[in-house]
Amino acid sequence: DLVGNQASRPDSKRSIFIGNLPRDVTEESLWKTFSTCGPVQYVRVIRDPVTRLGRGIAYVAFQDRATVPLALTLDGAKCGNREM
């Protein structure tokens, strides 16, 4: 997605990777969960291109780098019936 457009490359120091998500996870549910840590810039759930079901992984980017350590404290928290 980002090849050739370095200006839009996300700041990896302001984002986190989330795994072990339920296939029916929504961007809104992750936004709500992680906004308790600080302002969220965007949420991206990786989906199957055909079924549009989640693949169990997502990225959350925050407006401020200081939010990332707070978000990492949610490691092991429940999302649906699974631990992130």
Side-chain angles (χ1 to χ4, degrees), residues 57-79:
I57 59 174
Y59 297 92
V60 176
F62 299 96
Q63 292 180 10
D64 184 13
R65 290 180 179 185
T67 306
V68 171
L70 287 171
L72 294 177
T73 65
L74 294 177
D75 183 27
K78 289 280 190 173
C79 181

Side-chain angles (χ1 to χ4, degrees), residues 14 16-17 28 36 47 50 53 60 62 67 69 73 79-81:
R14 291 186 302 120
I16 60 170
F17 169 84
E28 293 81 16
T36 61
R47 299 186 180 282
V50 176
L53 288 174
V60 176
F62 299 96
T67 306
T73 65
C79 181
N81 59 350

